[in-house]
């Protein structure tokens, strides 16, 4: 029974996004909420019918048929179709007889989803709202799940999504691929959102492991969607996918602890997903064309080195120089901290401590932790003092407990 | 914060006299040093390295192969850093690998455009 429920949940999640994309594509993004309602309604009917009569042979086809009927009925009945949609479609496609059908072919679904991805990643919407919309419209997440991922509540998420959809309407965002000359810039935005989505899952502070994993794999799926089209299958796209594969390969090893994430050096390497590592290598290889190097390229190569279980200074030298390069490109506190950690592993604590003290990342608990770690070699009381500071600054109970464990080891 | 240019001058290096290992160590020292400035969030833009060859145009259309024959130190490259004051920018320049080769770092504030 449980397996069956899981299958249904998966089926609904998958098919929800496909149907919403196709219906929105045909009738326009301003009807995205109508599309969501129709699809939800379809699922409601499916649950009722299937419970009584059993599952149909091809559940997806069943859903498409019902959704199609409901959609056409809705638009005809509301007269929106003849007054607004019909002229728009006729005009756009320059055909006199509009298609009174909804196309659920695999190719059309894919096209519609890609266009939806670009539509959602319009610069008109704030990136947090873009992630929310992507989770709802492209990944089929429920409001509860989105709220949990963002450590927020249902009302706040509903409001955020509502405003974002409103924006799609008022800004008249269309579900089309951007024109060729705008594509590279828009692709940047799309990649950035996928990257944030992945990070949301990988570094998420929610306790829900299944949810975190789902977030990561949805981000990966969206990335892969981009590889089907020459215009979006760019070196940067491949670098981002490689980066996600490498990180995702350690997901299980990282979650193997009871409720604390397992630190890199304590991970059981046999839990690393070698299939994903190989996939990552393939995409990393593909990313090495053209002559631009992006932060994704550098981060992918860093993640690649982390998939080497050995702990040699040579490996850390490579990681260090990649972080140097990443910082030349753009500064971020986390890159600065990781760079200093790599320096520690490559050149020893004395060099790293000198550099660490220059960073002055006051009130950053990762910074206090790094200083604590570096002082364990020379000044234990000071090390403990920094770990205490880190514990005070840490934002979650989990992190605080993690740091407490480290303090206990030292005292 | 203001922009400052750090100009690196050092004696010309005959790269052919370096073993690959030495060359790697030398490059690493530069990378790590600039990486340290970047890690402080003080680097503005990327690093500019200059190759050894060059030309100098003088009055009367005289062109020479760079200023290198006459002076001991040559300009090897530059970076732009962000700092509150000239003193702070000078502090950032400490530890520059050019100094180890008896070279120098010239620190110059970039004039604000109005």
């Amino acid at each position: 029974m449980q397996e069956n429920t899981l299958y249904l949940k998966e089926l609904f999640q998958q098919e929800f996004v496909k149907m919403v994309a196709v219906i929105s594509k045909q009738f326009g993004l301003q009807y995205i909420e109508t599309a969501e309602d129709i699809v939800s309604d379809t699922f409601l009917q499916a649950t009722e019918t299937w419970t009584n009569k059993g599952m149909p042979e091809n559940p997806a086809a069943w859903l498409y048929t019902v959704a199609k009927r409901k959609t056409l009925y809705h638009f005809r009945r509301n007269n929106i179709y003849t007054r607004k949609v019909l002229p728009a479609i006729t005009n756009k496609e320059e055909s006199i007889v509009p298609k009174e059908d909804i196309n659920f072919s695999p190719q059309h679904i894919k096209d519609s989803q890609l266009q939806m991805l670009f539509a959602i990643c319009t610069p008109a919407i704030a990136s947090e709202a873009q992630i929310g919309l992507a989770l709802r419209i492209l990944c089929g997440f429920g409001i509860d799940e989105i709220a949990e991922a963002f450590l927020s509540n249902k009302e706040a998420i509903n409001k955020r999504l509502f405003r974002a959809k409103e924006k799609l309407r008022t800004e008249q965002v269309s579900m089309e691929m951007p024109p060729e000359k705008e594509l590279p810039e828009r692709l940047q935005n799309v990649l950035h959102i996928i990257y944030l989505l992945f990070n949301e899952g990988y570094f998420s502070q929610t306790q829900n492991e299944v949810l975190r994993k789902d977030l990561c794999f949805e981000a990966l799926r969206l990335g892969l969607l981009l590889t089907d089209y020459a215009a979006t299958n760019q070196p940067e796209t491949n670098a981002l996918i490689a980066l996600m594969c490498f990180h995702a390969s350690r997901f299980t090893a990282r979650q193997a602890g009871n409720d604390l994430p397992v630190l890199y050096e304590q991970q059981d390497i046999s839990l690393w997903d070698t299939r994903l590592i190989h996939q990552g290598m393939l995409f990393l290889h593909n990313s090495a064309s053209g002559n631009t190097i992006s932060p994704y390229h550098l981060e992918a190569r860093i993640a690649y080195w982390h998939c080497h279980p050995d702990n040699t200074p040579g490996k850390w030298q490579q990681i260090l120089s990649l972080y140097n390069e990443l910082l030349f490109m753009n500064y971020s506190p986390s890159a600065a901290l990781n760079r200093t950690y790599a320096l520690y592993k490559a050149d020893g604590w004395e060099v790293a401590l000198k550099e660490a003290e220059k960073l002055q990342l006051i009130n950053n608990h990762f910074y206090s932790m790094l200083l604590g770690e570096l002082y364990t070699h020379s000044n234990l009381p000071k090390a403990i003092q920094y770990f205490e500071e880190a514990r005070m600054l840490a934002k979650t109970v989990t992190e605080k407990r993690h740091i407490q464990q480290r303090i206990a080891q030292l005292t | 914060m203001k922009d400052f240019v750090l100009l690196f001058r050092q004696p010309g290096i005959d790269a052919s006299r370096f073993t690959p290992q030495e060359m790697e160590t030398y490059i690493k020292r530069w990378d790590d040093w600039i990486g340290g400035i970047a890690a402080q969030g003080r680097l503005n833009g990327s690093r500019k390295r200059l190759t050894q060859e060059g030309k100098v145009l003088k009055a009367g259309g005289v062109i020479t192969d760079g200023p290198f024959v006459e002076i001991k130190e040559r300009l090897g490259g530059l970076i732009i850093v962000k700092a509150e004051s000239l003193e702070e920018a000078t502090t950032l320049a400490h530890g520059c690998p050019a100094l180890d080769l008896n070279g120098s770092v010239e620190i110059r504030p970039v004039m604000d455009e109005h």
Side-chain angles (χ1 to χ4, degrees):
Chain A
M1 182 62 209
Q2 207 178 7
E3 211 170 278
N4 205 19
T5 320
L6 210 65
Y7 167 71
L8 278 183
K9 185 181 176 282
E10 223 167 82
L11 178 79
F12 283 2
Q13 196 168 344
Q14 272 171 21
E15 300 307 330
F16 176 87
V17 297
K18 290 179 184 171
M19 293 192 281
V20 170
V22 167
I23 297 169
S24 305
K25 167 70 187 160
Q26 177 139 355
F27 295 93
L29 215 44
Q30 66 268 41
Y31 298 111
I32 191 167
E33 258 165 39
T34 310
E36 281 183 88
D37 288 345
I38 292 170
V39 176
S40 299
D41 207 37
T42 305
F43 283 131
L44 200 68
Q45 191 175 329
T47 318
E48 280 170 15
T49 314
W50 297 354
T51 317
N52 292 332
K53 297 183 183 167
M55 288 277 278
E57 209 151 285
N58 186 343
W62 189 100
L63 291 168
Y64 296 160
T65 310
V66 174
K68 204 181 284 188
R69 206 176 57 226
K70 281 185 191 293
T71 308
L72 292 174
Y73 176 74
H74 172 88
F75 282 100
R76 280 202 207 106
R77 189 197 55 191
N78 284 318
N79 209 11
I80 298 166
Y81 193 65
T82 38
R83 277 192 300 115
K84 288 187 178 167
V85 182
L86 205 59
I89 297 175
T90 320
N91 215 350
K92 207 164 54 192
E93 296 185 353
E94 286 174 11
S95 75
I96 306 145
V97 189
K99 279 186 298 193
E100 264 234 5
D101 192 18
I102 298 168
N103 180 354
F104 281 117
S105 71
Q107 188 57 46
H108 189 67
I109 289 174
K110 266 190 174 178
D111 291 347
S112 305
Q113 285 196 293
L114 188 72
Q115 289 165 358
M116 182 67 98
L117 180 58
F118 272 86
I120 285 175
C121 294
T122 166
I125 304 175
S127 65
E128 225 181 9
Q130 288 179 352
I131 302 174
L133 264 191
L135 284 173
R136 179 72 190 136
I137 306 298
L138 285 164
C139 309
F141 278 68
I143 302 297
D144 291 330
E145 291 166 305
I146 300 173
E148 195 181 339
F150 282 119
L151 301 175
S152 181
N153 59 49
K154 252 173 105 165
E155 288 72 39
I157 295 297
N158 264 327
K159 259 186 216 155
R160 192 188 293 171
L161 293 185
F162 177 77
R163 276 199 299 268
K165 285 180 210 162
E166 192 75 2
K167 205 83 181 173
L168 287 177
R169 218 178 351 253
T170 53
E171 299 284 325
Q172 298 189 326
V173 177
S174 66
M175 258 186 82
E176 273 162 0
M177 288 301 280
E180 208 175 314
K181 69 177 200 317
E182 281 173 34
L183 195 102
E185 207 186 313
R186 292 292 297 282
L187 180 62
Q188 287 294 322
N189 207 16
V190 170
L191 294 177
H192 184 62
I193 292 304
I194 295 175
Y195 177 77
L196 292 178
L197 193 58
F198 186 84
N199 279 352
E200 197 63 49
Y202 201 72
F203 300 106
S204 161
Q205 293 168 347
T206 68
Q207 298 293 320
N208 187 338
E209 188 187 318
V210 180
L211 171 65
R212 279 184 282 175
K213 210 168 180 166
D214 280 0
L215 279 169
C216 287
F217 283 107
E218 278 303 319
L220 192 52
R221 188 182 65 82
L222 292 179
L224 289 171
L225 199 61
L226 296 169
T227 60
D228 279 339
Y229 303 82
T232 52
N233 187 23
Q234 295 296 313
E236 269 184 69
T237 311
N238 283 274
L240 176 61
I241 296 171
L243 160 68
M244 293 193 283
C245 287
F246 290 137
H247 276 310
S249 74
R250 290 192 305 275
F251 205 102
T252 312
R254 213 164 148 267
Q255 306 302 334
N258 284 335
D259 38 1
L260 294 178
V262 183
L263 295 180
Y264 179 69
E265 278 169 22
Q266 282 125 37
Q267 285 174 13
D268 177 0
I269 288 156
S270 69
L271 292 176
W272 289 3
D273 188 333
T274 45
R275 199 182 54 89
L276 271 172
I277 295 175
H278 284 127
Q279 286 241 301
M281 280 156 79
L282 209 70
F283 284 106
L284 190 63
H285 179 79
N286 290 344
S287 77
S289 60
N291 41 25
T292 50
I293 192 157
S294 66
Y296 302 127
H297 282 92
L298 296 171
E299 284 196 48
R301 280 165 60 194
I302 291 168
Y304 165 76
W305 277 105
H306 278 116
C307 290
H308 290 261
D310 56 325
N311 199 6
T312 60
K315 161 178 148 175
W316 289 101
Q317 291 291 0
Q318 297 286 344
I319 295 177
L320 170 62
S321 73
L322 289 164
Y323 271 121
N324 282 338
E325 229 179 303
L326 188 62
L327 282 161
F328 296 163
M329 238 178 247
N330 45 26
Y331 167 84
S332 75
S334 73
L337 286 168
N338 287 329
R339 184 249 175 204
T340 314
Y341 185 77
L343 189 68
Y344 162 47
K345 301 297 274 182
D347 293 352
W349 65 269
E350 282 172 294
V351 183
L353 185 57
K354 231 168 103 186
E355 290 285 293
E357 300 218 294
K358 291 185 199 160
L359 299 184
Q360 293 297 321
L361 292 166
I362 319 285
N363 291 334
N364 179 323
H365 69 284
F366 292 116
Y367 182 53
S368 308
M369 274 165 80
L370 178 67
L371 283 173
E373 202 55 53
L374 293 170
Y375 269 115
T376 55
H377 299 276
S378 59
N379 188 338
L380 210 53
K382 212 163 175 181
I384 293 169
Q385 198 185 316
Y386 274 115
F387 279 119
E388 293 284 5
E389 189 181 292
R391 193 184 51 168
M392 297 252 295
L393 292 169
K395 289 180 188 71
T396 62
V397 181
T398 316
E399 282 174 303
K400 285 182 196 291
R401 285 201 6 235
H402 224 141
I403 300 165
Q404 185 57 51
Q405 273 186 1
R406 187 77 184 99
I407 295 171
Q409 280 169 0
L410 295 173
T411 45
Chain B
M1 284 222 243
K2 290 194 282 270
D3 280 351
F4 296 83
V5 184
L6 267 49
L7 299 159
F8 309 124
R9 291 205 169 81
Q10 58 184 36
I13 306 154
D14 183 1
S16 64
R17 278 177 41 220
F18 277 51
T19 65
Q21 184 61 47
E22 280 170 340
M23 201 63 206
E24 209 175 286
T25 313
Y26 177 70
I27 291 170
K28 177 182 155 51
R29 267 167 59 207
W30 273 101
D31 284 350
D32 288 353
W33 180 68
I34 298 178
I37 294 175
Q40 294 172 59
R42 296 305 182 96
L43 195 65
N44 191 357
S46 62
R47 163 188 186 184
K48 300 279 178 257
R49 268 183 279 198
L50 303 179
T51 60
Q52 306 261 335
E53 73 271 20
K55 298 272 186 202
V56 172
L57 174 63
K58 291 177 175 171
V62 179
I63 297 169
T64 61
D65 275 347
F68 314 130
V69 266
E70 295 121 58
I71 56 165
K72 188 172 78 64
E73 289 176 338
R74 56 180 68 174
L75 188 61
L78 60 97
I79 58 173
I80 297 175
V81 299
K82 292 180 279 190
E84 296 292 353
S85 64
L86 183 57
E87 287 65 35
E88 211 179 88
T90 310
T91 309
L92 285 175
H94 281 286
C96 172
L99 303 171
D100 299 344
L101 294 171
N102 280 323
S104 67
V105 185
E106 184 175 328
I107 302 113
R108 302 284 303 270
V110 176
M111 209 180 275
D112 286 335
E113 303 228 8
H114 288 294

